[in-house]
Amino acid sequence: GACKFLAEGCTYTTLLREPVDRFLSHVRWECTAPDAAEKYGAACESVTAFIELSLRRRSIHFYGLDNHQTRILSGDASKDHRGEMCDVSSACQPAPPWAIQGHHLRTAIYNLVFNTPVWGHLEEVGAFASRFHKAYGYGKDFPSDKKNPARGHMGTEMSDDDVKLVKQVLAADIKLYEFSTCVLQSGSPRFQA
């Protein structure tokens, strides 16, 4: 990661987001881009239409659509042409769409626990900000816990089948989030504000 290129003392912080909410937000973000109609066509008419084309037919994909948080925390299993972890994004060969597996999740959990001194959930950003300030001495002025207002015209209504499919596709991110929830609720002094 970036710490390879910085002086000693570089650390990471991570704010995880509830995976289904993050998925919906990302889809809505993509569908409000100026070129969304050209890129996604009718898929941006509704969440159901987007799910149909992206998750059922798999005719639409963009980086981060599937298990984005696990991809990031696992280093995305990105390798350079020598098969080593890549340092230059143009030389990286990221895990292909729909290819996040158990070893990616294990790596993500390991990196979260052992390589990220301060982490938390976006839904509890106030507690995260307190831990961040306690660890680093600055950073009390994080945004509030309020979510950003919805962007664009796309609603978030999903059928039970859509919810089930989204949860299947995001299985690694959901397990990562469930693990992090258990750790944050454990009462460990590390996670007290």
Side-chain angles (χ1 to χ4, degrees), residues 67 161-172 174:
N67 296 297
D161 287 342
D162 287 347
V163 171
K164 184 178 177 181
L165 178 60
V166 168
K167 287 181 176 182
Q168 286 173 345
V169 169
L170 301 178
I174 289 170

Side-chain angles (χ1 to χ4, degrees), residues 8-162:
E8 256 185 70
C10 175
T11 60
Y12 298 99
T13 61
T14 299
L15 268 172
L16 294 173
R17 186 167 182 186
E18 193 285 318
V20 174
D21 187 47
R22 197 214 64 77
F23 169 84
L24 290 170
S25 177
H26 198 146
V27 167
R28 290 169 62 108
W29 176 265
E30 289 288 329
C31 285
T32 59
D35 60 347
E38 181 182 325
K39 285 169 67 175
Y40 306 120
C44 287
E45 290 176 7
S46 69
V47 170
T48 298
F50 203 95
I51 289 170
E52 177 65 31
L53 291 172
S54 63
L55 304 185
R56 288 196 175 90
R57 296 185 194 175
R58 296 192 176 181
S59 59
I60 293 174
H61 190 270
F62 49 82
Y63 188 83
L65 181 63
D66 65 305
N67 296 297
H68 182 70
Q69 297 174 125
T70 302
R71 284 178 176 276
I72 296 299
L73 281 168
S74 70
D76 196 18
S78 296
K79 307 285 184 187
D80 65 15
H81 67 282
R82 296 180 308 265
E84 298 174 5
M85 293 304 287
C86 59
D87 299 316
V88 181
S89 62
S90 61
C92 293
Q93 300 167 6
W98 326 113
I100 296 300
Q101 299 175 3
H103 66 281
H104 296 108
L105 178 59
R106 286 188 296 278
T107 302
I109 288 172
Y110 179 89
N111 285 334
L112 184 66
V113 172
F114 295 107
N115 296 325
T116 310
V118 179
W119 52 276
H121 290 164
L122 179 64
E123 295 80 8
E124 298 171 348
V125 73
F128 168 83
S130 293
R131 289 191 302 275
F132 186 92
H133 181 71
K134 184 177 172 183
Y136 300 111
Y138 64 93
K140 275 189 161 182
D141 298 325
F142 277 82
S144 71
D145 292 83
K146 295 178 186 173
K147 292 184 179 184
N148 291 330
R151 291 172 32 117
H153 65 283
M154 182 186 280
T156 57
E157 302 80 26
M158 293 191 292
S159 69
D160 291 343
D161 287 342
D162 287 347

